Amino acid sequence: MASDRRTAILDLRGLHWASEQNVATSVLQRRPGVVEVAVNPVAQTATVVFDPTVTSVAEMRQWVRDCGYHCDGLSVPQHICDPEIEPHAQPESTPAAEPAPSPHEAMGHGGHEGMSMADMVADMRNRFLVAAIFSIPILVWSPIGHDVLGLDVTVPFGMREDVWALLLSLPVIFYADWIFF
């Protein structure tokens, strides 16, 4: 019956690739008592609809661990247990869970730790402006500049065109694009 169903959101930390979502889904769906599974690789969670008379959150947690993913149990803010859903205290032998990542780590804001939103916006704007400014001379000495725009500008300092293009592109790569590496 539908009234005998419960929903739990399991923590699947360690689910790093979207293709792993199929593995986690199939492992959980094959278990008795599991009615429906929706895995979200971005949030690293699995929403599971299950029959509590057949299985429990603790059993599903173990299945997820057997599958190779870390699972602390229900995924709720700061991993505080929801008192209305089945308790899932960890046994004494289980090591303590890792602290939750900061919002900057979770969103991939590498290199922006401790920055305010305004500082991050200014930093990204500056990176964009550097890339935009250097794109103009890169275009001038590129094959597009020669062939399409008809520009015939001599390379300064008697350098080869490819060396000059490399020197112009380094600030874009090492400053403007650094956060994407």
Side-chain angles (χ1 to χ4, degrees):
M1 294 181 85
S3 63
D4 292 341
R5 294 181 180 176
R6 286 197 182 167
T7 302
I9 300 175
L10 298 175
D11 182 5
L12 293 180
R13 258 182 283 157
L15 185 73
H16 297 294
W17 306 102
S19 60
E20 292 175 337
Q21 122 184 21
N22 298 332
V23 174
T25 301
S26 65
V27 166
L28 285 168
Q29 280 182 332
R30 287 190 301 241
R31 301 303 177 179
V34 174
V35 178
E36 185 180 333
V37 177
V39 175
N40 183 339
V42 175
Q44 295 190 350
T45 60
T47 304
V48 182
V49 178
F50 66 100
D51 182 351
T53 61
V54 179
T55 190
S56 67
V57 173
E59 288 177 344
M60 288 187 291
R61 231 180 31 230
Q62 188 58 46
W63 295 332
V64 170
R65 279 193 194 108
D66 292 345
C67 190
Y69 303 108
H70 175 75
C71 180
D72 285 334
L74 297 175
S75 178
V76 293
Q78 302 299 320
H79 298 285
I80 300 170
C81 302
D82 185 347
E84 294 186 4
I85 299 179
E86 176 183 340
H88 56 279
Q90 300 235 357
E92 295 288 327
S93 63
T94 304
E98 298 173 7
S102 73
H104 292 292
E105 291 170 343
M107 290 184 277
H109 292 286
H112 286 138
E113 296 92 26
M115 284 185 156
S116 69
M117 186 57 74
D119 291 340
M120 286 191 337
V121 168
D123 182 56
M124 290 302 293
R125 183 194 62 236
N126 293 342
R127 291 175 189 275
F128 171 77
L129 289 175
V130 166
I133 289 169
F134 275 93
S135 69
I136 295 167
I138 290 171
L139 175 68
V140 168
W141 281 284
S142 72
I144 293 175
H146 293 286
D147 300 339
V148 176
L149 301 176
L151 300 173
D152 190 24
V153 182
T154 57
V155 178
F157 313 116
M159 289 186 189
R160 293 185 348 216
E161 276 191 35
D162 58 343
V163 173
W164 180 240
L166 173 68
L167 291 175
L168 289 173
S169 65
L170 288 177
V172 175
I173 294 169
F174 287 117
Y175 177 69
D177 297 340
W178 186 256
I179 61 170
F180 300 108
F181 289 124

